[in-house]
Amino acid sequence: MAARIPLVLLACGSFNPITNQHMRLFELARDHMHLTGQYQVVGGIVSPVGDGYGKQGLVSAKHRVAMAKVALQTSDWVSVGDWESQQPDWTETVVTMRYHYGQIAKQYQRRIEALNNAPQESALCKPQLKLLCGADFLDTFHVPGLWRDEHVEEVVGRFGLVCVSRGRQQPDQAVHESDLLSRHRANIFMVREWVRNETSATEVRRALRRGLSVKYLLPDDVIEYIHAHGLYTHKTELKNKGIKLRPLTKQGLLD
């Protein structure tokens, strides 16, 4: 039987705040990739975007990273990567993927060197990294000027995508309508979520601003953290109001 390819799943996003649904995506994706018979998921990384992203209502990265760490305390395979959140400017997804793959490759190389005296282990499969996302993420590739073609080529062609769809989303259509995505269709894995959960971080923030319960939408420890630090109030929602998203200005879509 051929050895399975070790795979790490990377999710980039605001995580403002991280929800149970965000974490659920990792479990769905792992099950699906295992069922392909080709991969063995060995890790997952949550990478909150930096403050330079400029989205309205985006609380400080230090809080979003802390909430993610609190939420993932019960996971034995998904961790929080804070490199992206610490960068002084917004970082393109492909740059974040390069960084994390570099770290994975270094760990792999150290393991190979450590096993030089164990020939039976010398045929270790080189690990891969794929971007975990919701199916609506594919639509961002069609926004004029938002992505550079060479970045899409690298994200999809070199690394690959694992897309989880919900409700009436039709990610296959986004792939069909793009020559670039269609060319790398074999490296785009579609995962279907049959147990519908439409938890929205936007709706969670709205409920928190209005003093409504968000229990069972977020881990209890995350809810406690939010209340302890006074996050997601009417005041924090005004942060970055009127500011253009950094991806649009950096990629040249807006002047």
Side-chain angles (χ1 to χ4, degrees):
M1 180 182 295
R4 292 187 178 226
I5 301 169
L7 176 64
V8 176
L9 300 170
L10 170 69
C12 297
S14 299
F15 300 103
N16 188 41
I18 191 169
T19 68
N20 288 335
Q21 180 60 20
H22 285 135
M23 296 182 288
R24 178 66 182 153
L25 296 183
F26 279 92
E27 299 296 325
L28 292 165
R30 180 171 67 165
D31 285 346
H32 180 87
M33 298 308 285
H34 284 174
L35 288 173
T36 67
Q38 304 175 55
Y39 297 95
Q40 180 67 38
V41 176
V42 295
I45 304 170
V46 168
S47 179
V49 72
D51 292 337
Y53 185 51
K55 187 175 182 180
Q56 182 173 340
L58 187 69
V59 303
S60 173
K62 70 177 183 180
H63 289 309
R64 290 181 286 111
V65 168
M67 286 186 286
K69 289 181 177 180
V70 166
L72 291 165
Q73 288 179 117
T74 58
S75 177
D76 60 0
W77 68 282
V78 184
S79 61
V80 181
D82 61 4
W83 179 85
E84 180 182 1
S85 69
Q86 294 177 348
Q87 303 311 299
D89 194 3
W90 169 76
T91 303
E92 293 93 337
T93 299
V94 70
V95 175
T96 300
M97 296 193 76
R98 291 171 190 162
Y99 169 79
H100 284 290
Y101 184 71
Q103 298 302 302
I104 293 167
K106 287 179 183 178
Q107 293 175 5
Y108 169 77
Q109 186 58 39
R110 286 195 292 268
R111 187 177 177 191
I112 289 295
E113 292 171 357
L115 293 173
N116 276 340
N117 296 324
Q120 70 276 13
E121 298 286 352
S122 62
L124 289 174
C125 291
K126 190 172 185 179
Q128 292 186 12
L129 174 73
K130 295 190 185 300
L131 185 65
L132 173 61
C133 59
D136 52 353
F137 177 83
L138 295 178
D139 294 331
T140 69
F141 291 143
H142 298 297
V143 177
L146 185 59
W147 285 84
R148 297 177 184 174
D149 287 346
E150 61 269 27
H151 286 181
V152 178
E153 182 78 38
E154 186 172 353
V155 168
V156 184
R158 176 188 176 191
F159 295 110
L161 300 174
V162 181
C163 302
V164 181
S165 64
R166 291 174 288 166
R168 298 180 179 179
Q169 293 173 336
Q170 296 181 326
D172 285 337
Q173 183 174 346
V175 175
H176 171 72
E177 293 175 351
S178 167
D179 290 342
L180 194 159
L181 295 181
S182 293
R183 188 161 62 250
H184 297 292
R185 180 182 292 272
N187 212 19
I188 301 175
F189 297 84
M190 300 295 186
V191 183
R192 187 70 180 178
E193 166 62 292
W194 294 107
V195 181
R196 294 184 62 176
N197 182 342
E198 302 299 328
T199 302
S200 160
T202 299
E203 292 301 326
V204 166
R205 293 195 301 275
R206 180 175 288 117
L208 287 166
R209 289 198 306 274
R210 296 175 180 177
L212 303 177
S213 171
V214 293
K215 191 174 180 63
Y216 306 120
L217 298 177
L218 312 179
D220 287 344
D221 288 345
V222 172
I223 296 174
E224 291 179 10
Y225 184 98
I226 289 171
H227 291 319
H229 292 84
L231 305 181
Y232 305 119
T233 63
H234 290 284
K235 182 179 179 180
T236 61
E237 185 61 21
L238 295 177
K239 183 179 179 180
N240 296 326
K241 184 176 181 180
I243 295 178
K244 297 172 181 176
L245 284 180
R246 183 56 175 146
L248 301 181
T249 58
K250 190 172 183 178
Q251 303 287 50
L253 181 61
L254 297 175
D255 295 326

